[in-house]
């Protein structure tokens, strides 16, 4: 009986220490929670970045294939996005060249084709939307501002298609011809060969489906 009483006294003495340890454990957890949350968030961010990189590689592979299939020199994707906000509350619509693949010896133009106001090239964009931006001769492009910009980039011919998602225009996908090595397929599409045009459009749509 005496031993049982001693045991109960020992348990009671430990109970206080257990409560103290539990209190400090909870305090340390609360103190370190922001660090834990930051670490978890950082890991999630890294995973998101890696996921985007893998997807970007798939898009570049698609553009490289489009480049080869059309015998072009440059393949690219322009995506639409918001710019600044006007006093009226509306957004200034812009487009940027987010993806680009070029043949050896061909200049990259993507870095300087960023945040372009769409209002400055509305005629050119309208032609793309109408599936009419297929020109073996860039001098035949009706939009004078776009024509001048294309000539400055050394472009001699081009083919560009619109990409829609859920009914919204989200991107323009196309190819440029900087050299005159082979305009065969481009001329075929330009002369309203619907088969060639639809094949080209289908390939651009498949690439567009990879956009996040």
């Amino acid at each position: 009986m005496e031993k049982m009483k001693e045991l109960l006294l020992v348990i009671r003495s430990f109970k206080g220490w257990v409560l103290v340890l539990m209190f400090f454990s909870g305090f340390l957890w609360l103190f370190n929670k922001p660090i834990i949350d930051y670490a978890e968030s950082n890991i999630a961010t890294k995973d998101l970045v890696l996921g985007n990189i893998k997807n970007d590689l798939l898009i570049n592979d698609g553009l490289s294939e489009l480049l080869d299939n059309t015998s072009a020199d440059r393949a690219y994707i322009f995506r639409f996005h918001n710019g600044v906000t006007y006093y009226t509350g509306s957004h200034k619509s812009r487009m940027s060249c987010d993806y680009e693949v070029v043949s050896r010896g061909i200049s990259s133009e993507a870095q300087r084709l960023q945040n372009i106001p769409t209002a400055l090239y509305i005629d050119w964009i309208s032609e793309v939307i109408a599936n009419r931006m297929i020109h073996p001769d860039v001098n035949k492009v009706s939009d004078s501002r776009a024509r001048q910009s294309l000539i400055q980039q050394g472009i001699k011919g081009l083919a560009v298609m619109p990409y829609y998602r859920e009914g919204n225009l989200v991107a323009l996908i196309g190819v440029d011809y900087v050299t005159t090595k082979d305009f065969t397929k481009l001329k075929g599409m330009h002369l309203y060969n619907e088969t060639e045009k639809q094949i080209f459009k289908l390939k651009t749509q498949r690439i567009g489906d990879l956009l996040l």
Side-chain angles (χ1 to χ4, degrees):
M1 191 67 178
E2 291 295 328
K3 289 184 177 180
M4 182 63 71
K5 289 180 179 179
E6 290 177 2
L7 181 60
L8 288 171
L9 288 172
V10 171
I11 292 172
R12 285 174 181 171
S13 66
F14 275 116
K15 186 177 179 181
W17 285 106
V18 169
L19 289 173
V20 171
L21 288 173
M22 288 177 65
F23 172 78
F24 276 107
S25 296
F27 175 77
L28 289 172
W29 182 82
L30 288 172
F31 178 77
N32 287 298
K33 190 174 185 303
I35 299 174
I36 295 169
D37 290 345
Y38 173 78
E40 291 176 347
S41 174
N42 197 35
I43 291 170
T45 300
K46 287 183 178 178
D47 289 343
L48 180 62
V49 171
L50 288 174
N52 286 341
I53 289 174
K54 290 178 181 178
N55 194 71
D56 291 343
L57 289 172
L58 289 175
I59 292 173
N60 282 344
D61 287 343
L63 288 175
S64 294
E65 184 177 345
L66 183 67
L67 193 75
D68 292 337
N69 291 339
T70 57
S71 302
D73 298 298
R74 188 184 291 122
Y76 48 85
I77 301 176
F78 278 91
R79 288 205 286 184
F80 296 99
H81 55 90
N82 287 336
V84 297
T85 303
Y86 292 107
Y87 289 151
T88 58
S90 62
H91 289 278
K92 184 174 185 176
S93 180
R94 295 175 180 267
M95 60 182 179
S96 293
C97 185
D98 284 351
Y99 297 92
E100 180 192 51
V101 172
V102 298
S103 298
R104 181 175 296 181
I106 302 300
S107 66
S108 173
E109 301 291 332
Q111 286 188 334
R112 71 182 194 85
L113 297 174
Q114 301 295 315
N115 296 311
I116 302 170
T118 56
L120 295 179
Y121 296 93
I122 194 64
D123 291 338
W124 184 80
I125 294 171
S126 297
E127 289 284 301
V128 175
I129 293 172
N131 296 327
R132 291 199 298 266
M133 190 47 62
I134 300 175
H135 291 286
D137 184 0
V138 75
N139 292 298
K140 300 294 177 63
V141 173
S142 59
D143 186 326
S144 60
R145 183 180 285 109
R147 183 173 64 250
Q148 187 61 34
S149 176
L150 295 169
I151 291 172
Q152 288 175 353
Q153 296 174 55
I155 298 170
K156 295 182 174 63
L158 76 163
V160 190
M161 286 290 176
Y163 174 73
Y164 295 87
R165 183 173 291 175
E166 296 179 357
N168 297 314
L169 178 65
V170 296
L172 307 177
I173 304 173
V175 294
D176 292 340
Y177 292 78
V178 181
T179 66
T180 55
K181 59 183 180 182
D182 189 354
F183 278 171
T184 305
K185 289 194 175 182
L186 184 59
K187 286 180 178 177
M189 288 188 289
H190 176 68
L191 295 173
Y192 303 105
N193 182 327
E194 286 302 320
T195 301
E196 291 286 343
K197 186 184 292 187
Q198 290 306 316
I199 290 173
F200 176 71
K201 186 171 185 177
L202 179 61
K203 289 176 180 177
T204 62
Q205 304 308 293
R206 287 175 177 172
I207 295 171
D209 289 340
L210 295 171
L211 293 171
L212 294 177

